[in-house]
Amino acid sequence: MNFHPEVFCGVCIGSASVSLLLTILQLLPKKGQSLRKMPKASSSSTILLLISICDILGGLGMIFRSSVWLGFPGFIANISVVNGTDMWPSAFCVGSAMWIQLLYSAGFWWLFCYAVDSYLVVRRSAGLSTIVLYHMMTWGLAVMLCGEGIALLYYPSLSSCENGLEHAIPHYITTYAPLLLVLVVNPILFRRTVSAVASLLKGRQGIYTENERRLGTEIQIRFFKIMLVFVICWSSNIINESLLFYLEMQPDINETPLKNIRSAALITWIIMGVLNPMQGFLFTLAFYGWTGWRVDLKWRKREIAWESMSSSTVGENAYPSPVNYQSSIHESKKISTTDSQQTDEAISMLSEGNTSSDERLTRSSPIYQGW
Protein backbone atom coordinates (compact mmCIF):
# COMPACT_ATOMS: atom_id res chain seq x y z
CA MET A 1 0.00 0.00 0.00
CA ASN A 2 3.06 2.27 -0.25
CA PHE A 3 2.99 2.89 3.48
CA HIS A 4 6.03 4.91 4.64
CA PRO A 5 6.89 4.09 8.27
CA GLU A 6 9.36 6.99 8.44
CA VAL A 7 6.63 9.55 7.80
CA PHE A 8 4.23 7.90 10.23
CA CYS A 9 6.87 7.62 12.98
CA GLY A 10 7.93 11.23 12.49
CA VAL A 11 4.33 12.38 12.86
CA CYS A 12 3.92 10.24 15.99
CA ILE A 13 7.06 11.66 17.61
CA GLY A 14 6.03 15.24 16.90
CA SER A 15 2.45 14.88 18.09
CA ALA A 16 3.31 12.77 21.15
CA SER A 17 6.09 15.15 22.23
CA VAL A 18 3.87 18.23 21.99
CA SER A 19 1.04 16.47 23.83
CA LEU A 20 3.40 15.17 26.52
CA LEU A 21 4.87 18.59 27.29
CA LEU A 22 1.51 20.36 27.29
CA THR A 23 -0.14 17.68 29.45
CA ILE A 24 2.59 17.93 32.09
CA LEU A 25 2.33 21.73 31.93
CA GLN A 26 -1.42 21.49 32.50
CA LEU A 27 -1.01 19.25 35.55
CA LEU A 28 1.70 21.29 37.29
CA PRO A 29 0.55 23.77 39.97
CA LYS A 30 0.29 27.37 38.82
CA LYS A 31 1.12 30.66 40.54
CA GLY A 32 -1.86 32.49 41.92
CA GLN A 33 -4.10 29.49 41.35
CA SER A 34 -6.95 29.15 43.79
CA LEU A 35 -7.21 25.54 44.87
CA ARG A 36 -10.68 24.48 45.89
CA LYS A 37 -10.48 20.88 46.94
CA MET A 38 -12.53 18.60 49.06
CA PRO A 39 -11.25 17.87 52.60
CA LYS A 40 -10.78 14.29 51.47
CA ALA A 41 -9.72 13.18 48.00
CA SER A 42 -12.58 12.18 45.74
CA SER A 43 -12.46 9.10 43.56
CA SER A 44 -13.48 11.18 40.52
CA SER A 45 -10.45 13.48 40.81
CA THR A 46 -8.19 10.45 41.27
CA ILE A 47 -9.61 8.83 38.13
CA LEU A 48 -9.03 12.00 36.08
CA LEU A 49 -5.40 12.04 37.20
CA LEU A 50 -4.97 8.35 36.35
CA ILE A 51 -6.39 8.94 32.85
CA SER A 52 -3.77 11.65 32.30
CA ILE A 53 -1.01 9.37 33.61
CA CYS A 54 -2.05 6.59 31.21
CA ASP A 55 -1.98 9.08 28.34
CA ILE A 56 1.47 10.32 29.35
CA LEU A 57 2.95 6.80 29.60
CA GLY A 58 1.23 5.74 26.37
CA GLY A 59 2.70 8.79 24.63
CA LEU A 60 6.16 7.89 25.94
CA GLY A 61 5.70 4.43 24.43
CA MET A 62 4.86 5.95 21.04
CA ILE A 63 7.92 8.24 21.22
CA PHE A 64 10.19 5.32 22.17
CA ARG A 65 8.87 3.01 19.43
CA SER A 66 9.00 5.68 16.72
CA SER A 67 12.48 6.81 17.78
CA VAL A 68 13.82 3.27 17.44
CA TRP A 69 12.20 2.91 14.01
CA LEU A 70 13.81 6.12 12.81
CA GLY A 71 17.14 5.85 14.62
CA PHE A 72 17.97 2.17 14.08
CA PRO A 73 16.80 1.11 10.60
CA GLY A 74 19.15 -1.89 10.59
CA PHE A 75 17.65 -3.16 13.83
CA ILE A 76 14.12 -2.73 12.49
CA ALA A 77 14.98 -4.53 9.26
CA ASN A 78 15.57 -7.74 11.26
CA ILE A 79 12.03 -7.82 12.68
CA SER A 80 10.65 -9.81 9.77
CA VAL A 81 13.75 -12.02 9.47
CA VAL A 82 13.33 -15.35 11.22
CA ASN A 83 16.85 -16.64 11.82
CA GLY A 84 16.32 -18.26 15.20
CA THR A 85 19.21 -16.34 16.82
CA ASP A 86 18.33 -12.66 17.15
CA MET A 87 14.96 -12.32 18.84
CA TRP A 88 15.46 -8.75 20.12
CA PRO A 89 13.85 -7.03 17.10
CA SER A 90 10.76 -9.20 17.42
CA ALA A 91 10.70 -8.72 21.20
CA PHE A 92 10.88 -4.97 20.66
CA CYS A 93 8.01 -5.10 18.16
CA VAL A 94 5.75 -7.13 20.46
CA GLY A 95 6.81 -5.33 23.65
CA SER A 96 6.32 -1.81 22.32
CA ALA A 97 2.93 -2.76 20.85
CA MET A 98 1.80 -4.19 24.21
CA TRP A 99 3.12 -1.14 26.09
CA ILE A 100 1.11 1.28 23.96
CA GLN A 101 -2.03 -0.83 23.71
CA LEU A 102 -2.09 -1.68 27.44
CA LEU A 103 -1.86 1.91 28.63
CA TYR A 104 -4.34 3.36 26.17
CA SER A 105 -6.71 0.47 26.85
CA ALA A 106 -6.37 1.17 30.58
CA GLY A 107 -7.18 4.81 29.83
CA PHE A 108 -10.39 3.68 28.10
CA TRP A 109 -11.40 1.61 31.13
CA TRP A 110 -10.61 4.50 33.49
CA LEU A 111 -12.79 6.77 31.39
CA PHE A 112 -15.61 4.24 31.69
CA CYS A 113 -15.03 4.10 35.47
CA TYR A 114 -15.24 7.89 35.58
CA ALA A 115 -18.70 7.80 34.00
CA VAL A 116 -19.81 5.07 36.43
CA ASP A 117 -18.35 6.91 39.41
CA SER A 118 -19.98 10.20 38.43
CA TYR A 119 -23.36 8.50 38.35
CA LEU A 120 -22.77 6.70 41.66
CA VAL A 121 -21.57 9.89 43.35
CA VAL A 122 -24.79 11.78 42.70
CA ARG A 123 -26.69 8.67 43.78
CA ARG A 124 -24.53 8.67 46.93
CA SER A 125 -23.41 5.11 46.34
CA ALA A 126 -19.69 5.74 45.76
CA GLY A 127 -16.86 6.41 48.16
CA LEU A 128 -13.11 6.32 48.51
CA SER A 129 -13.14 2.53 48.88
CA THR A 130 -14.64 2.25 45.38
CA ILE A 131 -11.35 3.32 43.79
CA VAL A 132 -9.83 -0.05 44.78
CA LEU A 133 -12.52 -1.85 42.77
CA TYR A 134 -11.86 0.48 39.84
CA HIS A 135 -8.16 -0.39 39.96
CA MET A 136 -8.91 -4.12 39.96
CA MET A 137 -11.37 -3.85 37.09
CA THR A 138 -9.31 -1.46 34.95
CA TRP A 139 -5.91 -3.11 35.14
CA GLY A 140 -7.31 -6.64 35.24
CA LEU A 141 -9.41 -6.21 32.10
CA ALA A 142 -6.71 -4.20 30.31
CA VAL A 143 -4.03 -6.85 30.94
CA MET A 144 -6.36 -9.73 30.08
CA LEU A 145 -7.64 -8.26 26.81
CA CYS A 146 -4.23 -6.97 25.73
CA GLY A 147 -2.50 -10.29 26.46
CA GLU A 148 -5.21 -12.29 24.72
CA GLY A 149 -5.24 -10.01 21.67
CA ILE A 150 -1.46 -10.08 21.26
CA ALA A 151 -1.29 -13.85 21.79
CA LEU A 152 -3.94 -14.54 19.15
CA LEU A 153 -2.29 -12.14 16.71
CA TYR A 154 1.20 -13.68 17.03
CA TYR A 155 0.29 -17.34 17.60
CA PRO A 156 1.94 -19.70 16.77
CA SER A 157 4.98 -17.67 15.66
CA LEU A 158 6.27 -14.95 17.97
CA SER A 159 8.56 -13.45 15.33
CA SER A 160 5.89 -11.77 13.21
CA CYS A 161 2.17 -11.07 13.02
CA GLU A 162 0.15 -13.89 11.52
CA ASN A 163 -1.91 -13.31 8.38
CA GLY A 164 -5.56 -14.21 8.08
CA LEU A 165 -8.85 -13.04 9.51
CA GLU A 166 -8.79 -15.77 12.18
CA HIS A 167 -5.90 -13.87 13.77
CA ALA A 168 -7.00 -10.34 12.94
CA ILE A 169 -10.63 -10.50 14.14
CA PRO A 170 -9.85 -11.52 17.76
CA HIS A 171 -7.21 -8.80 17.89
CA TYR A 172 -9.73 -6.23 16.62
CA ILE A 173 -12.27 -7.31 19.22
CA THR A 174 -9.90 -7.20 22.19
CA THR A 175 -8.45 -3.86 21.06
CA TYR A 176 -11.66 -2.00 20.30
CA ALA A 177 -14.04 -3.49 22.88
CA PRO A 178 -13.18 -0.92 25.58
CA LEU A 179 -13.14 1.89 23.02
CA LEU A 180 -16.63 1.04 21.76
CA LEU A 181 -17.80 0.60 25.36
CA VAL A 182 -16.86 4.20 26.12
CA LEU A 183 -18.45 5.45 22.90
CA VAL A 184 -21.75 3.70 23.59
CA VAL A 185 -22.19 3.50 27.37
CA ASN A 186 -20.51 6.70 28.63
CA PRO A 187 -22.99 9.09 26.92
CA ILE A 188 -25.86 7.18 28.53
CA LEU A 189 -24.28 7.36 32.00
CA PHE A 190 -23.39 11.03 31.56
CA ARG A 191 -26.94 11.86 30.52
CA ARG A 192 -28.38 10.09 33.56
CA THR A 193 -25.86 11.83 35.81
CA VAL A 194 -26.89 15.25 34.48
CA SER A 195 -30.55 14.42 35.19
CA ALA A 196 -29.67 13.31 38.71
CA VAL A 197 -27.67 16.50 39.29
CA ALA A 198 -30.65 18.60 38.26
CA SER A 199 -32.81 16.75 40.79
CA LEU A 200 -30.20 17.29 43.51
CA LEU A 201 -29.94 20.99 42.78
CA LYS A 202 -33.71 21.41 42.85
CA GLY A 203 -34.05 19.53 46.11
CA ARG A 204 -31.15 21.20 47.90
CA GLN A 205 -33.04 24.38 48.85
CA GLY A 206 -36.42 23.71 47.30
CA ILE A 207 -35.78 26.20 44.49
CA TYR A 208 -33.94 26.11 41.18
CA THR A 209 -32.13 29.42 40.83
CA GLU A 210 -29.97 30.73 38.00
CA ASN A 211 -26.82 29.60 39.85
CA GLU A 212 -28.09 26.02 40.06
CA ARG A 213 -29.10 26.10 36.40
CA ARG A 214 -25.67 27.36 35.33
CA LEU A 215 -23.89 24.78 37.46
CA GLY A 216 -25.95 21.95 35.94
CA THR A 217 -25.25 23.28 32.46
CA GLU A 218 -21.51 23.49 33.10
CA ILE A 219 -21.42 19.88 34.31
CA GLN A 220 -23.29 18.86 31.17
CA ILE A 221 -20.85 20.83 29.00
CA ARG A 222 -17.92 19.20 30.76
CA PHE A 223 -19.24 15.72 29.97
CA PHE A 224 -19.83 16.81 26.38
CA LYS A 225 -16.23 18.04 26.07
CA ILE A 226 -14.90 14.71 27.35
CA MET A 227 -16.89 12.73 24.78
CA LEU A 228 -16.03 15.21 22.01
CA VAL A 229 -12.29 14.79 22.66
CA PHE A 230 -12.67 11.02 22.72
CA VAL A 231 -14.57 10.92 19.43
CA ILE A 232 -12.12 13.29 17.73
CA CYS A 233 -9.05 11.32 18.83
CA TRP A 234 -10.27 7.79 18.10
CA SER A 235 -12.86 7.95 15.30
CA SER A 236 -10.01 7.81 12.75
CA ASN A 237 -8.92 4.46 14.24
CA ILE A 238 -12.36 2.96 13.74
CA ILE A 239 -12.49 4.24 10.16
CA ASN A 240 -8.97 2.99 9.44
CA GLU A 241 -9.59 -0.48 10.88
CA SER A 242 -12.86 -0.74 8.95
CA LEU A 243 -11.04 0.06 5.71
CA LEU A 244 -8.25 -2.41 6.48
CA PHE A 245 -10.77 -5.07 7.42
CA TYR A 246 -12.51 -4.54 4.08
CA LEU A 247 -9.20 -4.77 2.21
CA GLU A 248 -8.32 -7.95 4.14
CA MET A 249 -11.39 -9.61 2.64
CA GLN A 250 -10.41 -8.80 -0.94
CA PRO A 251 -8.43 -11.35 -3.01
CA ASP A 252 -6.09 -8.62 -4.32
CA ILE A 253 -5.83 -5.26 -2.56
CA ASN A 254 -3.80 -3.81 -5.46
CA GLU A 255 -6.74 -3.79 -7.83
CA THR A 256 -7.53 -0.42 -9.45
CA PRO A 257 -11.10 -0.13 -8.05
CA LEU A 258 -9.62 -0.29 -4.54
CA LYS A 259 -7.25 2.64 -5.09
CA ASN A 260 -9.46 5.16 -3.27
CA ILE A 261 -9.88 2.82 -0.31
CA ARG A 262 -6.13 2.31 -0.09
CA SER A 263 -5.58 6.08 -0.19
CA ALA A 264 -8.21 6.62 2.50
CA ALA A 265 -6.54 4.01 4.71
CA LEU A 266 -3.16 5.73 4.33
CA ILE A 267 -4.65 9.16 5.11
CA THR A 268 -6.46 7.94 8.22
CA TRP A 269 -3.21 6.26 9.31
CA ILE A 270 -1.46 9.63 9.38
CA ILE A 271 -4.47 11.22 11.11
CA MET A 272 -4.19 8.53 13.79
CA GLY A 273 -0.54 9.43 14.31
CA VAL A 274 -1.57 13.04 14.98
CA LEU A 275 -4.76 12.65 17.03
CA ASN A 276 -4.09 9.56 19.18
CA PRO A 277 -1.19 11.06 21.17
CA MET A 278 -2.99 14.43 21.49
CA GLN A 279 -5.70 12.84 23.63
CA GLY A 280 -3.71 13.48 26.82
CA PHE A 281 -3.50 17.25 26.34
CA LEU A 282 -7.04 17.60 24.99
CA PHE A 283 -8.42 15.67 27.96
CA THR A 284 -6.73 18.03 30.42
CA LEU A 285 -8.43 20.92 28.61
CA ALA A 286 -11.77 19.14 28.97
CA PHE A 287 -11.11 18.29 32.63
CA TYR A 288 -9.58 21.51 33.94
CA GLY A 289 -9.62 24.10 31.14
CA TRP A 290 -6.43 25.96 30.26
CA THR A 291 -4.47 26.31 33.52
CA GLY A 292 -1.90 28.82 32.23
CA TRP A 293 1.85 29.03 31.72
CA ARG A 294 3.00 30.32 35.13
CA VAL A 295 4.20 27.17 36.86
CA ASP A 296 4.59 27.26 40.64
CA LEU A 297 7.26 24.76 41.67
CA LYS A 298 7.18 25.77 45.34
CA TRP A 299 5.34 22.93 46.97
CA ARG A 300 3.56 24.25 50.01
CA LYS A 301 0.43 23.40 51.89
CA ARG A 302 -2.37 25.73 50.96
CA GLU A 303 -5.54 26.45 52.82
CA ILE A 304 -8.44 24.31 51.71
CA ALA A 305 -11.40 26.53 51.12
CA TRP A 306 -13.96 23.96 52.18
CA GLU A 307 -12.23 23.27 55.51
CA SER A 308 -11.79 26.93 56.41
CA MET A 309 -15.33 27.73 55.39
CA SER A 310 -16.82 24.91 57.42
CA SER A 311 -14.76 25.71 60.51
CA SER A 312 -15.46 29.44 60.36
CA THR A 313 -19.21 29.10 59.93
CA VAL A 314 -20.16 25.96 61.76
CA GLY A 315 -17.62 26.29 64.56
CA GLU A 316 -17.08 29.01 67.12
CA ASN A 317 -17.12 31.87 64.61
CA ALA A 318 -20.50 30.93 63.20
CA TYR A 319 -23.27 33.47 63.27
CA PRO A 320 -24.86 33.25 66.74
CA SER A 321 -28.42 32.00 66.78
CA PRO A 322 -31.04 33.57 69.02
CA VAL A 323 -31.11 32.04 72.49
CA ASN A 324 -34.84 31.39 72.38
CA TYR A 325 -34.57 28.87 69.52
CA GLN A 326 -35.97 25.49 70.49
CA SER A 327 -33.76 22.41 70.32
CA SER A 328 -35.94 20.84 67.64
CA ILE A 329 -35.23 23.77 65.34
CA HIS A 330 -31.49 23.36 65.95
CA GLU A 331 -31.67 19.66 65.08
CA SER A 332 -33.68 20.38 61.93
CA LYS A 333 -31.15 22.91 60.74
CA LYS A 334 -28.26 20.58 61.50
CA ILE A 335 -29.85 17.84 59.42
CA SER A 336 -30.63 20.25 56.60
CA THR A 337 -27.09 21.59 56.67
CA THR A 338 -25.62 18.07 56.60
CA ASP A 339 -27.81 16.98 53.70
CA SER A 340 -27.04 20.14 51.78
CA GLN A 341 -23.33 19.76 52.44
CA GLN A 342 -23.41 16.17 51.16
CA THR A 343 -25.18 17.38 48.04
CA ASP A 344 -22.59 20.15 47.61
CA GLU A 345 -19.77 17.62 47.96
CA ALA A 346 -21.28 15.34 45.32
CA ILE A 347 -21.75 18.19 42.87
CA SER A 348 -18.33 19.64 43.66
CA MET A 349 -16.70 16.32 42.73
CA LEU A 350 -18.28 16.57 39.27
CA SER A 351 -17.38 20.24 38.78
CA GLU A 352 -13.88 19.93 40.27
CA GLY A 353 -11.34 21.98 38.37
CA ASN A 354 -13.88 24.63 37.38
CA THR A 355 -13.23 27.65 39.58
CA SER A 356 -16.33 29.57 38.61
CA SER A 357 -18.51 26.55 39.36
CA ASP A 358 -16.88 26.09 42.76
CA GLU A 359 -17.43 29.73 43.65
CA ARG A 360 -21.11 29.67 42.68
CA LEU A 361 -21.62 26.41 44.54
CA THR A 362 -19.96 27.81 47.64
CA ARG A 363 -21.97 31.04 47.63
CA SER A 364 -25.26 29.24 47.13
CA SER A 365 -24.48 26.80 49.94
CA PRO A 366 -26.33 27.20 53.25
CA ILE A 367 -22.97 26.95 55.02
CA TYR A 368 -21.76 30.03 53.20
CA GLN A 369 -24.95 31.85 54.14
CA GLY A 370 -24.26 31.28 57.85
CA TRP A 371 -26.66 28.47 58.53
Side-chain angles (χ1 to χ4, degrees):
M1 294 178 57
N2 297 324
F3 176 70
H4 299 285
E6 298 80 9
V7 176
F8 179 75
C9 291
V11 170
C12 288
I13 290 178
S15 179
S17 300
V18 172
S19 178
L20 184 67
L21 293 176
L22 291 177
T23 302
I24 295 175
L25 176 65
Q26 281 278 92
L27 296 178
L28 290 175
K30 303 300 188 300
K31 295 180 180 179
Q33 190 178 44
S34 176
L35 297 182
R36 295 183 177 272
K37 296 182 179 179
M38 301 301 298
K40 50 186 178 180
S42 65
S43 54
S44 295
S45 61
T46 303
I47 292 173
L48 295 181
L49 180 60
L50 288 170
I51 293 174
S52 297
I53 292 175
C54 287
D55 288 329
I56 290 174
L57 296 178
L60 286 174
M62 296 187 72
I63 294 174
F64 173 71
R65 181 182 66 178
S66 300
S67 299
V68 173
W69 271 80
L70 293 179
F72 303 94
F75 178 80
I76 296 301
N78 293 327
I79 288 180
S80 59
V81 177
V82 184
N83 51 24
T85 57
D86 190 5
M87 293 297 297
W88 285 111
S90 299
F92 161 76
C93 182
V94 179
S96 60
M98 290 191 65
W99 175 0
I100 297 170
Q101 181 177 341
L102 176 64
L103 288 167
Y104 278 110
S105 178
F108 298 157
W109 286 112
W110 276 123
L111 194 58
F112 172 72
C113 290
Y114 175 73
V116 173
D117 187 76
S118 299
Y119 180 74
L120 293 179
V121 162
V122 296
R123 293 296 183 183
R124 302 181 184 181
S125 302
L128 287 176
S129 59
T130 315
I131 195 69
V132 178
L133 300 178
Y134 293 153
H135 273 288
M136 295 173 61
M137 183 183 76
T138 296
W139 296 111
L141 289 173
V143 171
M144 182 184 69
L145 291 177
C146 180
E148 182 181 359
I150 292 293
L152 293 174
L153 185 64
Y154 283 86
Y155 179 83
S157 173
L158 293 178
S159 60
S160 61
C161 299
E162 295 294 330
N163 294 323
L165 292 178
E166 67 274 11
H167 296 278
I169 291 178
H171 181 67
Y172 286 156
I173 294 175
T174 55
T175 301
Y176 288 96
L179 190 151
L180 294 176
L181 179 70
V182 173
L183 282 177
V184 175
V185 179
N186 275 37
I188 298 175
L189 291 174
F190 284 155
R191 186 161 51 248
R192 292 190 175 184
T193 301
V194 170
S195 300
V197 166
S199 300
L200 279 178
L201 291 173
K202 291 177 182 178
R204 185 175 57 180
Q205 297 184 30
I207 57 176
Y208 196 52
T209 64
E210 184 65 23
N211 284 338
E212 276 79 8
R213 187 176 292 104
R214 286 183 182 177
L215 182 58
T217 302
E218 288 181 0
I219 293 175
Q220 184 177 6
I221 292 175
R222 184 183 192 181
F223 289 158
F224 173 76
K225 289 179 179 178
I226 291 174
M227 290 308 305
L228 179 63
V229 169
F230 191 80
V231 170
I232 290 175
C233 291
W234 296 102
S235 58
S236 58
N237 294 64
I238 298 177
I239 297 173
N240 179 265
E241 294 293 357
S242 300
L243 295 174
L244 293 180
F245 186 78
Y246 177 78
L247 291 173
E248 285 266 2
M249 299 176 65
Q250 306 304 314
D252 185 9
I253 67 172
N254 294 318
E255 294 179 355
T256 303
L258 300 176
K259 180 180 179 181
N260 292 334
I261 298 179
R262 295 196 303 269
S263 300
L266 292 173
I267 293 173
T268 52
W269 231 323
I270 300 300
I271 295 175
M272 287 163 51
V274 176
L275 293 180
N276 290 175
M278 290 301 295
Q279 177 186 252
F281 170 60
L282 295 178
F283 262 157
T284 60
L285 291 179
F287 296 156
Y288 316 111
W290 174 246
T291 60
W293 298 94
R294 302 181 61 189
V295 177
D296 185 6
L297 298 179
K298 297 180 180 179
W299 296 93
R300 58 180 180 274
K301 183 178 179 181
R302 302 187 184 186
E303 183 182 29
I304 298 177
W306 278 88
E307 289 181 343
S308 61
M309 190 179 304
S310 300
S311 61
S312 64
T313 55
V314 181
E316 296 180 354
N317 295 328
Y319 292 115
S321 57
V323 294
N324 59 349
Y325 271 13
Q326 298 178 1
S327 59
S328 60
I329 299 178
H330 285 296
E331 294 298 325
S332 176
K333 289 188 175 183
K334 287 180 181 179
I335 295 174
S336 300
T337 301
T338 302
D339 292 341
S340 181
Q341 187 174 5
Q342 290 175 349
T343 302
D344 291 344
E345 289 178 357
I347 299 173
S348 180
M349 290 179 187
L350 300 181
S351 61
E352 190 169 359
N354 191 326
T355 306
S356 60
S357 298
D358 292 341
E359 290 176 353
R360 275 199 298 274
L361 177 63
T362 301
R363 292 178 181 176
S364 62
S365 170
I367 300 175
Y368 184 91
Q369 297 168 359
W371 246 18

